[in-house]
Amino acid sequence: MQPVMAKIKEFLKRGEFFFPIRLLMVHFKYNILLLVFWVVLFAYVLRLWGNDFGVPLLFLDPEYLGKVDFFSYLMLGASCGAFIMAFQIASYIVNSHRFPFLASVSKPFVKYTINNFIIPVSFICTFLICNFQFQDKYETTTRTDIFLNSCGFVIGAGFFFLLSLTYFFSVSKDIFHLFGIDILRKTDRKRVQKIQLKENVWQRISVSKKPASVIHVETYLTNPIRIARARETAHYNPEIINQVFRQNHLAAAIFEIAVVIVMVLLGLFRDVPFFQIPAAASIFVSFTMLLMLASAFHTWLKEWSIPIFIVLYLTINWLSGYEFFGKRNQAFGLDYSTEAAVIPDSMLFDRQRKIQITRDTRKGLESLERWKKRAWKGDNQKPTMIFLNVSGGGLKSALWTVSALQAADSASQGHLLKNTRLITGSSGGMIGAAYMRELYLRKTSGMIDNLYDSTYTERISRDLLNAVGFSLAVSDVFLRLQRVKIGKHSYTRDRGYEFEKALNTNTGFILDKSLSAYKMPEEAALTPMMIFSPTVINDGRRILISPQPISYLTSTPVKTGTILRSLPEDIEFSRFFRDQDADQLRFTSAIRMSATFPYILPSVSLPSNPIMDVMDAGFRDNYGLRTSIRYLYHFRKWIAANTDRVIFLQIRENHKAYDLKTHEKSTISELLMSPLGNVYENMFRIQDYQNDQLLMYADSWFDGKLEFVELDLNPPSHPSDEIISMNFHLTSLEKKRIRQAIKLPENKSAILALQKFLQN
C-alpha cells in the first residue's frame, strides 16, 4: 500500500510542477487582465452575457457574404486563431522571465505556446459543443453541415496558428543558438562550470538561491504528446538568459506589428466583400489588436509601461477634444465648413415664431386637403386617418415592421398605407417603415408591381452589423484616416458611413437620396409624412427631422401675461440648419441618427454652436406617440371635422405588461446596481405609462373618434424562450419567427379590428 501511495504522491507532485499546470496558476495569480478577454469570450459562447443584444448569436451563427456556411466558420476560426496567438505572445512577454529554463530549450516561444494550451483548447472545445447544441436546436442546420462548419472553424484556427508558429520556428532561438554555446543537450550531464563566449568568460552562478520571481518547473511538453524534464539554468549568467528572452520578445513584437499592419490594410480594402468578415470575427480582431498593443507596450517599456500608459492615455484623451485629432461623426449631406448654427439663449414663443407657425400651419392644412382627396373613404363620406407608430429594437423591429405592414395593408386591400397620414417612431422600426414607405411610393408610381413580395422582407433582414463591427475593429478604435466625398462635401469614413452603405446595399439603394427628395411627395399626399426624432444628448431635447416645415410641432404656446414660460421640447431640424444645407441631408443619415444605439453606432455631431450630439430616438420616444399626439392636437379641429375616425396603429416589439421583479435575497452587487439598472430597464415601460396618459387626455380634447390597434412581435402568447435579441444581425431562425409572428392570435385579432375600423 505504501509504495502505491508514494507513487500517487510522486505523480501529484510532478503534476503540480508540470509546466502547463504552472502556467495556468500563473495566469490566475499574475495575469488577470489577460484572462478578462477569455472570460468575456466564454460568457458570449455559453450565452451567459450579451443575450439582449444578440452577441452570442454572432459567434454561434456567423454570417459571411450573406451566408452561414463553411467559409463563414473558416473566417471565424482564423480570427480566433489570431486572438489565440495574440494571447500566447502577450502571455510569453509577461511571463517568460518566471521560467528561465525556457532559455535552454530549442524554440522557446514554440515550446511555451505548446504548454500554454489549457485555456485556448478549452475555449475551442466549449465553442464547438455550444455551436453544435445551438445549431442543432435552434437552426434548421443538418448535422452534416454542422460537422463541416465545425471543421471550417478548426481549419481556420489551425491555419493561422501554424502560420504563426512557422514564423517563430525561424526566429525563436535558445541560449545555445543565440550565443553559440556548444554543449550536450541531455539534462543529467554535469553542469558546465565555465563557458567561454566571444572572449568573455561567464562565471558559474550558485544554484542554491533563485530569484523570487522564478517559478519551479520539473516537466514540460516538448510536443503535444511528449514530456521532458526541465533543464536547470541556474549555472548560467542571468544576463545570458535575459538576452535570449529579449531576442524572442523582439521577434514577438515584430510579429505583432505585422499583424496590426495587415489589419489596417484590410480596413483600407473593406469595400471588397471578401474582406467583410463576420461580426464575431470583428470581436476577435478587436481583442487581438488590444492584446498585441498591450504586449508590445510592455516589451518596449518594461516596468515603466503602467505610468507611461497613464500619461499617454491622459494626453490622448486631452488631444481627442480637438477636431484635428479626434474627429466627430457627422451627418452626411450637411455643410460643416460654413458658420455653425447658433443656439439662442432662449427659444421661447415670440412674434416671429408665431408668424412661422401660421405659415407652416397653412401649408399643413393644404397638404391635409390633398390627403383627404386621395384617402380611401369606404362607405362613408369621410376617410379614416391613421397614425403609424413604430418602436425601436434593431434589425428585428425593421423586419417586423415590414412584415406587419405587408400583412396589414394586404388585409385592408391596400387602404392602410393610403390612409396613413404620419409615420413616427424610433430605431429599427423607422428603418423598416422608411423602406416600406419608399416601396409604397414606387408602387403608386408604377415602378413595382407587388408591394407584398417576400423579397423585401428578405432584403430588410440582411445583416447590418458585420460592416459596422469590422470598421470598429480595424479603424474607428485607432485612427480614422480615410475620407469619403458625399455630394459637395467630404467626411470621415467610420462605422456610421459603413452602416449607411450596408443599409443602401441591402435595400437596393432606393433610400439613397436626400431628405428634400420626399418634400414634394409628402406635400402632395402621395406618401405619408415621416418625422424622425433623435435625442439631443446635451440637454435631452429632440430634433424633429422632416422635409416639411413643422414649426407648429416645436413650440409650446403660453397665454399672454402668464408668468410661466415653458421651454420648447423640440427643435425643427430643417429650419435651424437651413444655412448648413439641411435639405441635402442624406435620408439614410436621418435614419441612422434615429437608430444610433450607444457604442454600436457613433453619436452624430451637428454643425451648431455649441455642438449638439444626437443619438437614438428611443431614449425619449421609443414608440413615436408623442409626435403623433402633438400633430393631432395642432390640427384637431380639421381632423375632427374631416375624418370618420383616427386610428393609432402601433407596431411594437413587446406588448404592454407589468413586470415587477423582486428578490427575496439580494446580493451586494444587486443592491448597488439595482437603482440605476432598474431605471434603465424600465425606461420603455415608463414611456408606456406616459403614452397611455397622453391617449387618455387626447380622448378628452379630441371631438372625433379615437381607436388604438397594436401589432406586437412578442405578445402574451409568444413563448418567453423565443424572445428575439436586439441588434443589427438576425439568425435564420429569428427571421422565421418574426415572419410568423403576424399569425399569432393577438395579431390576427388586431388586423381584423383594423379591417373593421377601415370598412366601418
PDB file of all heavy atoms in Angstrom, residues 378-407:
ATOM      1  N   GLY A 378     -64.202  54.376 -48.071  1.00  0.00           N
ATOM      2  CA  GLY A 378     -65.104  53.277 -47.798  1.00  0.00           C
ATOM      3  C   GLY A 378     -66.534  53.631 -48.120  1.00  0.00           C
ATOM      4  O   GLY A 378     -66.833  54.252 -49.152  1.00  0.00           O
ATOM      5  N   ASP A 379     -67.437  53.252 -47.241  1.00  0.00           N
ATOM      6  CA  ASP A 379     -68.857  53.541 -47.416  1.00  0.00           C
ATOM      7  C   ASP A 379     -69.240  54.899 -46.873  1.00  0.00           C
ATOM      8  O   ASP A 379     -70.411  55.307 -46.979  1.00  0.00           O
ATOM      9  CB  ASP A 379     -69.704  52.467 -46.733  1.00  0.00           C
ATOM     10  CG  ASP A 379     -69.489  51.087 -47.351  1.00  0.00           C
ATOM     11  OD1 ASP A 379     -69.155  51.026 -48.548  1.00  0.00           O
ATOM     12  OD2 ASP A 379     -69.614  50.080 -46.618  1.00  0.00           O
ATOM     13  N   ASN A 380     -68.292  55.626 -46.286  1.00  0.00           N
ATOM     14  CA  ASN A 380     -68.566  56.916 -45.670  1.00  0.00           C
ATOM     15  C   ASN A 380     -68.129  58.053 -46.572  1.00  0.00           C
ATOM     16  O   ASN A 380     -67.440  57.869 -47.576  1.00  0.00           O
ATOM     17  CB  ASN A 380     -67.875  57.030 -44.304  1.00  0.00           C
ATOM     18  CG  ASN A 380     -68.308  55.939 -43.354  1.00  0.00           C
ATOM     19  OD1 ASN A 380     -69.488  55.641 -43.253  1.00  0.00           O
ATOM     20  ND2 ASN A 380     -67.345  55.344 -42.672  1.00  0.00           N
ATOM     21  N   GLN A 381     -68.527  59.221 -46.202  1.00  0.00           N
ATOM     22  CA  GLN A 381     -68.117  60.414 -46.914  1.00  0.00           C
ATOM     23  C   GLN A 381     -66.765  60.933 -46.412  1.00  0.00           C
ATOM     24  O   GLN A 381     -66.129  61.724 -47.076  1.00  0.00           O
ATOM     25  CB  GLN A 381     -69.178  61.518 -46.750  1.00  0.00           C
ATOM     26  CG  GLN A 381     -70.519  61.165 -47.348  1.00  0.00           C
ATOM     27  CD  GLN A 381     -70.432  60.912 -48.843  1.00  0.00           C
ATOM     28  OE1 GLN A 381     -69.785  61.679 -49.578  1.00  0.00           O
ATOM     29  NE2 GLN A 381     -71.061  59.827 -49.309  1.00  0.00           N
ATOM     30  N   LYS A 382     -66.350  60.448 -45.239  1.00  0.00           N
ATOM     31  CA  LYS A 382     -65.115  60.894 -44.635  1.00  0.00           C
ATOM     32  C   LYS A 382     -64.135  59.737 -44.506  1.00  0.00           C
ATOM     33  O   LYS A 382     -64.531  58.626 -44.153  1.00  0.00           O
ATOM     34  CB  LYS A 382     -65.376  61.502 -43.253  1.00  0.00           C
ATOM     35  CG  LYS A 382     -66.294  62.725 -43.270  1.00  0.00           C
ATOM     36  CD  LYS A 382     -66.530  63.218 -41.861  1.00  0.00           C
ATOM     37  CE  LYS A 382     -67.471  64.430 -41.857  1.00  0.00           C
ATOM     38  NZ  LYS A 382     -67.740  64.898 -40.463  1.00  0.00           N
ATOM     39  N   PRO A 383     -62.857  59.978 -44.763  1.00  0.00           N
ATOM     40  CA  PRO A 383     -61.867  58.909 -44.648  1.00  0.00           C
ATOM     41  C   PRO A 383     -61.432  58.697 -43.194  1.00  0.00           C
ATOM     42  O   PRO A 383     -61.616  59.562 -42.333  1.00  0.00           O
ATOM     43  CB  PRO A 383     -60.698  59.417 -45.495  1.00  0.00           C
ATOM     44  CG  PRO A 383     -60.783  60.915 -45.347  1.00  0.00           C
ATOM     45  CD  PRO A 383     -62.262  61.239 -45.264  1.00  0.00           C
ATOM     46  N   THR A 384     -60.847  57.551 -42.939  1.00  0.00           N
ATOM     47  CA  THR A 384     -60.218  57.258 -41.650  1.00  0.00           C
ATOM     48  C   THR A 384     -58.753  57.651 -41.718  1.00  0.00           C
ATOM     49  O   THR A 384     -58.054  57.285 -42.673  1.00  0.00           O
ATOM     50  CB  THR A 384     -60.339  55.768 -41.303  1.00  0.00           C
ATOM     51  OG1 THR A 384     -61.725  55.433 -41.154  1.00  0.00           O
ATOM     52  CG2 THR A 384     -59.603  55.445 -40.017  1.00  0.00           C
ATOM     53  N   MET A 385     -58.277  58.401 -40.715  1.00  0.00           N
ATOM     54  CA  MET A 385     -56.876  58.819 -40.667  1.00  0.00           C
ATOM     55  C   MET A 385     -56.096  57.871 -39.761  1.00  0.00           C
ATOM     56  O   MET A 385     -56.547  57.532 -38.666  1.00  0.00           O
ATOM     57  CB  MET A 385     -56.736  60.259 -40.155  1.00  0.00           C
ATOM     58  CG  MET A 385     -55.290  60.741 -40.037  1.00  0.00           C
ATOM     59  SD  MET A 385     -55.124  62.498 -39.585  1.00  0.00           S
ATOM     60  CE  MET A 385     -55.623  63.278 -41.124  1.00  0.00           C
ATOM     61  N   ILE A 386     -54.947  57.469 -40.243  1.00  0.00           N
ATOM     62  CA  ILE A 386     -54.107  56.535 -39.495  1.00  0.00           C
ATOM     63  C   ILE A 386     -52.785  57.198 -39.141  1.00  0.00           C
ATOM     64  O   ILE A 386     -52.117  57.792 -40.002  1.00  0.00           O
ATOM     65  CB  ILE A 386     -53.846  55.249 -40.307  1.00  0.00           C
ATOM     66  CG1 ILE A 386     -55.167  54.530 -40.586  1.00  0.00           C
ATOM     67  CG2 ILE A 386     -52.892  54.321 -39.564  1.00  0.00           C
ATOM     68  CD1 ILE A 386     -55.022  53.315 -41.483  1.00  0.00           C
ATOM     69  N   PHE A 387     -52.423  57.100 -37.891  1.00  0.00           N
ATOM     70  CA  PHE A 387     -51.099  57.473 -37.421  1.00  0.00           C
ATOM     71  C   PHE A 387     -50.325  56.183 -37.162  1.00  0.00           C
ATOM     72  O   PHE A 387     -50.728  55.379 -36.319  1.00  0.00           O
ATOM     73  CB  PHE A 387     -51.163  58.314 -36.149  1.00  0.00           C
ATOM     74  CG  PHE A 387     -51.690  59.702 -36.353  1.00  0.00           C
ATOM     75  CD1 PHE A 387     -53.033  59.987 -36.135  1.00  0.00           C
ATOM     76  CD2 PHE A 387     -50.867  60.722 -36.768  1.00  0.00           C
ATOM     77  CE1 PHE A 387     -53.531  61.261 -36.313  1.00  0.00           C
ATOM     78  CE2 PHE A 387     -51.351  62.002 -36.955  1.00  0.00           C
ATOM     79  CZ  PHE A 387     -52.686  62.276 -36.738  1.00  0.00           C
ATOM     80  N   LEU A 388     -49.233  56.005 -37.872  1.00  0.00           N
ATOM     81  CA  LEU A 388     -48.425  54.792 -37.746  1.00  0.00           C
ATOM     82  C   LEU A 388     -47.251  55.069 -36.811  1.00  0.00           C
ATOM     83  O   LEU A 388     -46.399  55.907 -37.099  1.00  0.00           O
ATOM     84  CB  LEU A 388     -47.926  54.342 -39.117  1.00  0.00           C
ATOM     85  CG  LEU A 388     -47.018  53.108 -39.148  1.00  0.00           C
ATOM     86  CD1 LEU A 388     -47.721  51.903 -38.530  1.00  0.00           C
ATOM     87  CD2 LEU A 388     -46.577  52.797 -40.580  1.00  0.00           C
ATOM     88  N   ASN A 389     -47.217  54.351 -35.687  1.00  0.00           N
ATOM     89  CA  ASN A 389     -46.146  54.490 -34.703  1.00  0.00           C
ATOM     90  C   ASN A 389     -45.387  53.176 -34.596  1.00  0.00           C
ATOM     91  O   ASN A 389     -45.992  52.126 -34.341  1.00  0.00           O
ATOM     92  CB  ASN A 389     -46.704  54.869 -33.331  1.00  0.00           C
ATOM     93  CG  ASN A 389     -47.542  56.135 -33.361  1.00  0.00           C
ATOM     94  OD1 ASN A 389     -48.596  56.230 -32.751  1.00  0.00           O
ATOM     95  ND2 ASN A 389     -47.089  57.127 -34.113  1.00  0.00           N
ATOM     96  N   VAL A 390     -44.074  53.218 -34.804  1.00  0.00           N
ATOM     97  CA  VAL A 390     -43.247  52.010 -34.798  1.00  0.00           C
ATOM     98  C   VAL A 390     -42.166  52.141 -33.732  1.00  0.00           C
ATOM     99  O   VAL A 390     -41.581  53.201 -33.534  1.00  0.00           O
ATOM    100  CB  VAL A 390     -42.615  51.761 -36.185  1.00  0.00           C
ATOM    101  CG1 VAL A 390     -43.701  51.463 -37.208  1.00  0.00           C
ATOM    102  CG2 VAL A 390     -41.794  52.949 -36.646  1.00  0.00           C
ATOM    103  N   SER A 391     -41.900  51.052 -33.050  1.00  0.00           N
ATOM    104  CA  SER A 391     -40.932  51.072 -31.956  1.00  0.00           C
ATOM    105  C   SER A 391     -39.553  50.641 -32.419  1.00  0.00           C
ATOM    106  O   SER A 391     -39.392  50.022 -33.479  1.00  0.00           O
ATOM    107  CB  SER A 391     -41.400  50.167 -30.818  1.00  0.00           C
ATOM    108  OG  SER A 391     -41.255  48.789 -31.163  1.00  0.00           O
ATOM    109  N   GLY A 392     -38.566  50.949 -31.591  1.00  0.00           N
ATOM    110  CA  GLY A 392     -37.196  50.536 -31.863  1.00  0.00           C
ATOM    111  C   GLY A 392     -36.966  49.089 -31.467  1.00  0.00           C
ATOM    112  O   GLY A 392     -37.833  48.415 -30.919  1.00  0.00           O
ATOM    113  N   GLY A 393     -35.749  48.610 -31.762  1.00  0.00           N
ATOM    114  CA  GLY A 393     -35.421  47.228 -31.437  1.00  0.00           C
ATOM    115  C   GLY A 393     -34.446  46.600 -32.406  1.00  0.00           C
ATOM    116  O   GLY A 393     -34.413  45.377 -32.547  1.00  0.00           O
ATOM    117  N   GLY A 394     -33.643  47.433 -33.097  1.00  0.00           N
ATOM    118  CA  GLY A 394     -32.651  46.891 -34.007  1.00  0.00           C
ATOM    119  C   GLY A 394     -33.271  46.309 -35.264  1.00  0.00           C
ATOM    120  O   GLY A 394     -34.366  46.679 -35.697  1.00  0.00           O
ATOM    121  N   LEU A 395     -32.572  45.353 -35.840  1.00  0.00           N
ATOM    122  CA  LEU A 395     -32.990  44.781 -37.119  1.00  0.00           C
ATOM    123  C   LEU A 395     -34.281  43.977 -36.991  1.00  0.00           C
ATOM    124  O   LEU A 395     -35.042  43.867 -37.950  1.00  0.00           O
ATOM    125  CB  LEU A 395     -31.868  43.901 -37.673  1.00  0.00           C
ATOM    126  CG  LEU A 395     -31.919  43.602 -39.177  1.00  0.00           C
ATOM    127  CD1 LEU A 395     -31.911  44.886 -39.983  1.00  0.00           C
ATOM    128  CD2 LEU A 395     -30.732  42.726 -39.584  1.00  0.00           C
ATOM    129  N   LYS A 396     -34.544  43.409 -35.805  1.00  0.00           N
ATOM    130  CA  LYS A 396     -35.789  42.656 -35.651  1.00  0.00           C
ATOM    131  C   LYS A 396     -37.002  43.561 -35.797  1.00  0.00           C
ATOM    132  O   LYS A 396     -38.024  43.157 -36.367  1.00  0.00           O
ATOM    133  CB  LYS A 396     -35.821  41.943 -34.305  1.00  0.00           C
ATOM    134  CG  LYS A 396     -35.865  42.852 -33.084  1.00  0.00           C
ATOM    135  CD  LYS A 396     -36.001  42.068 -31.805  1.00  0.00           C
ATOM    136  CE  LYS A 396     -35.937  42.962 -30.576  1.00  0.00           C
ATOM    137  NZ  LYS A 396     -36.060  42.189 -29.310  1.00  0.00           N
ATOM    138  N   SER A 397     -36.900  44.808 -35.285  1.00  0.00           N
ATOM    139  CA  SER A 397     -38.012  45.741 -35.430  1.00  0.00           C
ATOM    140  C   SER A 397     -38.180  46.179 -36.873  1.00  0.00           C
ATOM    141  O   SER A 397     -39.305  46.410 -37.336  1.00  0.00           O
ATOM    142  CB  SER A 397     -37.791  46.965 -34.529  1.00  0.00           C
ATOM    143  OG  SER A 397     -37.908  46.610 -33.167  1.00  0.00           O
ATOM    144  N   ALA A 398     -37.061  46.296 -37.606  1.00  0.00           N
ATOM    145  CA  ALA A 398     -37.142  46.646 -39.024  1.00  0.00           C
ATOM    146  C   ALA A 398     -37.882  45.563 -39.802  1.00  0.00           C
ATOM    147  O   ALA A 398     -38.795  45.849 -40.596  1.00  0.00           O
ATOM    148  CB  ALA A 398     -35.740  46.865 -39.593  1.00  0.00           C
ATOM    149  N   LEU A 399     -37.498  44.306 -39.588  1.00  0.00           N
ATOM    150  CA  LEU A 399     -38.150  43.198 -40.281  1.00  0.00           C
ATOM    151  C   LEU A 399     -39.595  43.050 -39.835  1.00  0.00           C
ATOM    152  O   LEU A 399     -40.489  42.827 -40.666  1.00  0.00           O
ATOM    153  CB  LEU A 399     -37.377  41.902 -40.023  1.00  0.00           C
ATOM    154  CG  LEU A 399     -37.994  40.622 -40.603  1.00  0.00           C
ATOM    155  CD1 LEU A 399     -38.203  40.728 -42.111  1.00  0.00           C
ATOM    156  CD2 LEU A 399     -37.127  39.399 -40.270  1.00  0.00           C
ATOM    157  N   TRP A 400     -39.852  43.188 -38.544  1.00  0.00           N
ATOM    158  CA  TRP A 400     -41.210  43.069 -38.028  1.00  0.00           C
ATOM    159  C   TRP A 400     -42.118  44.174 -38.596  1.00  0.00           C
ATOM    160  O   TRP A 400     -43.255  43.910 -38.958  1.00  0.00           O
ATOM    161  CB  TRP A 400     -41.197  43.108 -36.508  1.00  0.00           C
ATOM    162  CG  TRP A 400     -42.551  43.230 -35.857  1.00  0.00           C
ATOM    163  CD1 TRP A 400     -42.936  44.162 -34.944  1.00  0.00           C
ATOM    164  CD2 TRP A 400     -43.683  42.389 -36.041  1.00  0.00           C
ATOM    165  NE1 TRP A 400     -44.240  43.975 -34.556  1.00  0.00           N
ATOM    166  CE2 TRP A 400     -44.733  42.880 -35.228  1.00  0.00           C
ATOM    167  CE3 TRP A 400     -43.937  41.269 -36.842  1.00  0.00           C
ATOM    168  CZ2 TRP A 400     -45.983  42.292 -35.171  1.00  0.00           C
ATOM    169  CZ3 TRP A 400     -45.202  40.683 -36.798  1.00  0.00           C
ATOM    170  CH2 TRP A 400     -46.209  41.201 -35.966  1.00  0.00           C
ATOM    171  N   THR A 401     -41.608  45.379 -38.697  1.00  0.00           N
ATOM    172  CA  THR A 401     -42.401  46.480 -39.241  1.00  0.00           C
ATOM    173  C   THR A 401     -42.784  46.220 -40.686  1.00  0.00           C
ATOM    174  O   THR A 401     -43.945  46.416 -41.077  1.00  0.00           O
ATOM    175  CB  THR A 401     -41.623  47.805 -39.123  1.00  0.00           C
ATOM    176  OG1 THR A 401     -41.362  48.085 -37.744  1.00  0.00           O
ATOM    177  CG2 THR A 401     -42.415  48.960 -39.718  1.00  0.00           C
ATOM    178  N   VAL A 402     -41.823  45.781 -41.503  1.00  0.00           N
ATOM    179  CA  VAL A 402     -42.121  45.485 -42.907  1.00  0.00           C
ATOM    180  C   VAL A 402     -43.104  44.324 -43.018  1.00  0.00           C
ATOM    181  O   VAL A 402     -44.080  44.385 -43.778  1.00  0.00           O
ATOM    182  CB  VAL A 402     -40.823  45.182 -43.678  1.00  0.00           C
ATOM    183  CG1 VAL A 402     -41.141  44.715 -45.106  1.00  0.00           C
ATOM    184  CG2 VAL A 402     -39.925  46.410 -43.726  1.00  0.00           C
ATOM    185  N   SER A 403     -42.879  43.254 -42.246  1.00  0.00           N
ATOM    186  CA  SER A 403     -43.767  42.089 -42.301  1.00  0.00           C
ATOM    187  C   SER A 403     -45.181  42.454 -41.858  1.00  0.00           C
ATOM    188  O   SER A 403     -46.167  42.057 -42.499  1.00  0.00           O
ATOM    189  CB  SER A 403     -43.218  40.967 -41.407  1.00  0.00           C
ATOM    190  OG  SER A 403     -41.945  40.534 -41.831  1.00  0.00           O
ATOM    191  N   ALA A 404     -45.273  43.215 -40.760  1.00  0.00           N
ATOM    192  CA  ALA A 404     -46.591  43.598 -40.241  1.00  0.00           C
ATOM    193  C   ALA A 404     -47.327  44.519 -41.206  1.00  0.00           C
ATOM    194  O   ALA A 404     -48.536  44.372 -41.425  1.00  0.00           O
ATOM    195  CB  ALA A 404     -46.431  44.266 -38.880  1.00  0.00           C
ATOM    196  N   LEU A 405     -46.620  45.476 -41.805  1.00  0.00           N
ATOM    197  CA  LEU A 405     -47.254  46.398 -42.734  1.00  0.00           C
ATOM    198  C   LEU A 405     -47.697  45.684 -44.003  1.00  0.00           C
ATOM    199  O   LEU A 405     -48.761  45.990 -44.563  1.00  0.00           O
ATOM    200  CB  LEU A 405     -46.306  47.546 -43.079  1.00  0.00           C
ATOM    201  CG  LEU A 405     -46.140  48.625 -42.006  1.00  0.00           C
ATOM    202  CD1 LEU A 405     -45.112  49.661 -42.426  1.00  0.00           C
ATOM    203  CD2 LEU A 405     -47.482  49.300 -41.716  1.00  0.00           C
ATOM    204  N   GLN A 406     -46.903  44.742 -44.484  1.00  0.00           N
ATOM    205  CA  GLN A 406     -47.307  43.978 -45.666  1.00  0.00           C
ATOM    206  C   GLN A 406     -48.600  43.210 -45.386  1.00  0.00           C
ATOM    207  O   GLN A 406     -49.533  43.244 -46.184  1.00  0.00           O
ATOM    208  CB  GLN A 406     -46.196  43.006 -46.080  1.00  0.00           C
ATOM    209  CG  GLN A 406     -45.041  43.661 -46.809  1.00  0.00           C
ATOM    210  CD  GLN A 406     -44.041  42.636 -47.323  1.00  0.00           C
ATOM    211  OE1 GLN A 406     -43.874  41.566 -46.743  1.00  0.00           O
ATOM    212  NE2 GLN A 406     -43.361  42.938 -48.408  1.00  0.00           N
ATOM    213  N   ALA A 407     -48.648  42.551 -44.229  1.00  0.00           N
ATOM    214  CA  ALA A 407     -49.826  41.763 -43.893  1.00  0.00           C
ATOM    215  C   ALA A 407     -51.049  42.646 -43.664  1.00  0.00           C
ATOM    216  O   ALA A 407     -52.145  42.359 -44.165  1.00  0.00           O
ATOM    217  CB  ALA A 407     -49.550  40.909 -42.652  1.00  0.00           C
TER     218      ALA A 407
END
